[in-house]
């Protein structure tokens, strides 16, 4: 039999439906891979029994002749930012260690209803704050990829969804959930040679997802290819009255409408994304992508997104400001960690709990956010950043007059070694320079693997689309996928 762990979402779903193998056989195969990969540290908690329970339910439904869901028989990894009833949910932070929700997030509920099972809760940067998966209280996630120079330097899987990207790339899961605030699905996908989609803001419910920056956070799928992402996004998305920002729109059948023929479509190439210091191999991959989309029938047009250079500074004001507000709830009173020294008063308990519970990067962003929201600086920083956000969104609106989708690099470099940028917060923040503008504008965007660099590390290309046009984004992604012919896999060392 084919190694079941090399199969993606579509192949597993169809194989289970056709009786080629059982859902239990699939779950057992992935459970075994997860158990053997502790060196990657991709999971905070493993739940093999949950995967088997869901698989047995799918097998029973098939035997009874019932219709199977779109994710039937597919075990997945769940980023530990989604509340899972009865299973610890920590956001990779000490302050939530041991917290076990009594409710289920909407996105995870939708996936279970579609027939998916849970292999475990995936590691991430603490509270989704980071671009390298080095800020987790539960330790770094290590990418399954290595430089082929024999140095064996542990590589970053990207962040914040580094556990998700590693799990999919290393064949520990056929797919995983991610969240993207300023690139946290797309950048890890690019670093590990997988596909990731950030849908339009509001397409997937935020209810039951631990909040970082509420006006930016958006859940999305991470999988091996475009089709698998289309299937999984269809299961995740949908209107949710419990989320006031949820889009009350029907969920299209993205998989059925996938089409890599781009005749009549225009692809915009933003001149501002050719930035100084960008890796020449990244720029070469971008040129390759342009040629591939041209080959698919698209017309290539030059466009301008003039406020691009201000997007990253604006993001690093808006996101920490929202984080400082959202994270105020972690005070040691209601749930999670409580650090209460003998004889301490309430204020001291707050301070001790937050000092012990939050990591350095979380503290850094809370401090920045509190500063820019303070009375003397609110207008100078936060209000100005919101104005820039509006200008960035207007840049995209003007661009849509000339093109249907935009092609750009996902990241300014390939993956880097763990520790190589940990003492350089600004250098780390620059990882998101190409991803942040689409996040500020709430637009759908995805990363598709397009090859490897001279060090043998994966590179990704990013497609950004109009609001609600995930289909256009995924169709362009499919055109690149077909022409790039990316089949590289990490060599197993773990």
């Amino acid at each position: 039999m084919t190694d079941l762990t090399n199969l993606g979402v579509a192949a597993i779903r169809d194989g289970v439906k056709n009786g080629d193998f059982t859902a239990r056989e699939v779950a057992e195969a992935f459970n075994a891979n997860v158990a053997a990969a502790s060196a990657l540290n991709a999971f905070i908690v493993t739940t093999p029994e949950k995967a088997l329970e869901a698989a047995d339910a799918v097998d029973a439904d098939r035997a009874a002749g019932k219709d199977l869901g779109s994710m039937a028989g597919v075990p997945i990894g769940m980023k530990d930012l989604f509340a899972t009833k009865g299973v610890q949910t920590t956001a990779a932070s000490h302050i939530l260690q041991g917290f076990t929700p009594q409710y289920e997030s909407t996105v995870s509920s939708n996936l279970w209803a579609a027939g998916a099972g849970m292999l475990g809760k995936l590691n991430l940067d603490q509270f989704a704050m980071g671009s390298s998966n080095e800020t987790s209280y539960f330790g770094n996630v290590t990418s399954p990829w290595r430089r082929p120079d024999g140095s064996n330097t542990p590589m970053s899987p990207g962040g914040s969804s580094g556990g998700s990207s590693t799990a999919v790339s290393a064949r520990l899961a056929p797919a995983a959930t991610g969240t993207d605030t300023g690139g946290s699905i797309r950048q890890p996908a690019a670093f590990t040679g997988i596909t990731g989609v950030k849908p339009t803001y509001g397409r997937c419910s935020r209810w039951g997802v631990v909040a970082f920056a509420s006006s930016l956070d958006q859940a999305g799928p991470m999988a091996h290819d475009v089709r698998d992402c289309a299937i999984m996004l269809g299961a995740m998305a949908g209107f949710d009255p419990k989320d006031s920002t949820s889009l009350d729109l029907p969920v299209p059948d993205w998989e059925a409408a996938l089409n890599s023929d781009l005749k009549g479509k225009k692809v915009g190439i933003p001149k501002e994304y050719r930035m100084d210091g960008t890796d020449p191999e990244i720029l070469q991959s971008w040129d390759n992508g342009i040629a591939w989309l041209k080959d698919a029938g698209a017309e290539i047009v030059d466009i301008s997104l003039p406020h691009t250079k201000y997007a990253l500074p604006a993001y690093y004001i808006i996101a920490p400001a929202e984080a400082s507000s959202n994270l105020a709830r972690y005070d040691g009173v209601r749930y999670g960690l409580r650090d209460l020294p003998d004889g301490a008063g309430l204020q001291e308990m707050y301070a001790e709990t937050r000092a012990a519970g939050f990591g350095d990067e979380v503290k850094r962003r809370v401090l920045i956010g509190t500063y820019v929201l303070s009375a003397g600086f609110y207008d100078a920083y936060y209000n100005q950043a919101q104005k820039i956000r509006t200008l960035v969104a207007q840049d995209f609106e003007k661009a849509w007059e000339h093109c249907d989708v935009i092609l750009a690099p996902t990241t300014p470099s390939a993956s880097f070694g763990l520790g190589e940028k940990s003492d350089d917060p600004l250098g780390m923040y620059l990882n998101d320079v190409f991803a942040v503008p689409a996040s500020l504008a709430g637009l759908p965007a995805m990363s598709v693997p397009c090859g490897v660099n001279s060090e043998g590390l994966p590179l990704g290309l990013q497609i950004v689309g109009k609001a609600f046009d995930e289909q256009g984004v995924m169709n362009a992604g499919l055109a690149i996928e077909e022409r790039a012919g990316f089949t590289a896999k990490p060599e197993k060392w773990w």
Side-chain angles (χ1 to χ4, degrees):
M1 193 194 307
T2 312
D3 180 355
L4 296 175
T5 60
N6 280 324
L7 301 180
V9 173
I12 292 171
R13 175 199 65 185
D14 295 344
V16 168
K17 184 179 178 182
N18 295 335
D20 299 337
F21 40 78
T22 65
R24 176 170 264 268
E25 286 171 333
V26 175
E28 286 172 343
F30 279 104
N31 278 340
N33 273 13
V34 170
S38 58
L40 297 173
N41 201 31
F43 286 86
I44 294 174
V45 173
T46 59
T47 56
E49 72 292 344
K50 294 273 185 192
L52 293 173
E53 186 185 312
D56 289 344
V58 167
D59 288 337
D61 283 349
R62 184 181 180 277
K66 294 181 182 176
D67 288 339
L68 300 183
S70 62
M71 294 285 290
V74 181
I76 62 168
M78 183 63 63
K79 186 175 181 178
D80 197 25
L81 213 56
F82 294 84
T84 43
K85 187 176 182 180
V87 179
Q88 175 180 274
T89 300
T90 66
S93 180
H94 183 37
I95 209 159
L96 276 174
Q97 189 173 12
F99 171 62
T100 305
Q102 298 308 301
Y103 55 90
E104 190 79 35
S105 79
T106 299
V107 163
S108 55
S109 293
N110 290 348
L111 286 164
W112 312 150
M118 183 166 72
L119 293 161
K121 300 299 289 292
L122 291 160
N123 207 343
L124 63 145
D125 278 302
Q126 191 170 152
F127 281 102
M129 298 179 192
S131 301
S132 63
N133 228 132
E134 293 176 276
T135 71
S136 169
Y137 176 73
F138 300 96
N140 302 341
V141 177
T142 304
S143 170
W145 293 83
R146 285 281 194 262
R147 292 182 179 125
D149 59 7
S151 66
N152 287 330
T153 304
M155 303 302 292
S156 169
S160 65
S161 306
S164 303
S165 64
T166 285
V168 175
S169 184
R171 272 64 185 172
L172 312 185
T177 56
T179 61
D180 194 308
T181 305
S184 287
I185 287 174
R186 291 162 285 160
Q187 185 249 20
F191 273 17
T192 56
I194 67 168
T195 304
V197 178
K198 180 199 91 70
T200 306
Y201 180 76
R203 183 65 91 173
C204 294
S205 172
R206 290 184 299 108
W207 194 84
V209 183
V210 178
F212 164 15
S214 302
S215 75
L216 295 157
D217 297 344
Q218 187 54 206
M222 301 175 74
H224 291 301
D225 59 35
V226 176
R227 182 172 300 278
D228 287 356
C229 282
I231 295 166
M232 189 171 175
L233 182 57
M236 294 171 69
F239 175 64
D240 179 10
K242 297 194 291 291
D243 174 4
S244 62
T245 60
S246 178
L247 293 170
D248 192 359
L249 292 172
V251 177
D253 188 342
W254 289 299
E255 183 196 10
L258 281 175
N259 181 2
S260 60
D261 183 354
L262 302 184
K263 285 188 183 69
K265 299 293 182 185
K266 292 182 178 178
V267 176
I269 308 299
K271 64 181 183 183
E272 289 80 8
Y273 281 44
R274 291 196 181 271
M275 296 180 180
D276 292 342
T278 303
D279 183 337
E281 291 185 280
I282 294 282
L283 296 176
Q284 181 57 54
S285 73
W286 191 11
D287 290 336
N288 293 343
I290 292 169
W292 291 330
L293 293 181
K294 209 182 248 184
D295 183 66
E299 181 187 339
I300 307 300
V301 296
D302 290 325
I303 60 165
S304 177
L305 300 171
H307 296 94
T308 295
K309 66 181 176 183
Y310 305 114
L312 196 68
Y315 171 84
Y316 276 104
I317 290 171
I318 293 167
E322 294 186 15
S324 78
S325 175
N326 278 325
L327 270 60
R329 70 192 70 170
Y330 303 108
D331 53 14
V333 175
R334 286 154 293 190
Y335 47 77
L337 179 73
R338 174 182 292 180
D339 196 322
L340 185 59
D342 289 342
L346 190 63
Q347 290 298 327
E348 194 175 349
M349 184 194 77
Y350 288 161
E352 293 292 331
T353 297
R354 291 166 69 82
F358 290 147
D360 288 347
E361 181 61 31
V362 175
K363 290 174 184 172
R364 183 182 291 120
R365 298 200 195 191
V366 168
L367 286 168
I368 292 169
T370 305
Y371 179 81
V372 300
L373 290 176
S374 59
F377 302 101
Y378 186 92
D379 284 336
Y381 291 103
Y382 185 72
N383 270 351
Q384 291 299 103
Q386 289 289 19
K387 289 173 186 174
I388 289 169
R389 182 179 193 172
T390 301
L391 292 171
V392 167
Q394 287 173 354
D395 284 352
F396 281 107
E397 287 303 316
K398 288 171 187 167
W400 302 138
E401 295 170 11
H402 307 287
C403 63
D404 299 291
V405 294
I406 292 168
L407 178 71
T410 306
T411 57
S413 71
S415 176
F416 44 85
L418 292 172
E420 288 179 4
K421 295 194 179 186
S422 51
D423 294 329
D424 180 11
L426 284 177
M428 193 72 82
Y429 294 170
L430 284 168
N431 264 286
D432 298 326
V433 67
F434 296 135
V436 155
S439 293
L440 289 176
L443 299 174
M446 78 182 299
S447 181
V448 184
C450 63
V452 295
N453 70 359
S454 55
E455 292 187 309
L457 298 172
L459 303 175
L461 284 171
Q462 178 182 205
I463 300 114
V464 181
K466 301 171 184 175
F468 323 122
D469 187 25
E470 285 83 2
Q471 192 70 62
V473 170
M474 288 192 272
N475 286 351
L478 184 62
I480 289 173
E481 178 180 283
E482 290 174 356
R483 285 155 181 81
F486 183 87
T487 55
K489 292 180 187 174
E491 235 174 81
K492 190 168 181 183
W493 55 264
W494 57 93

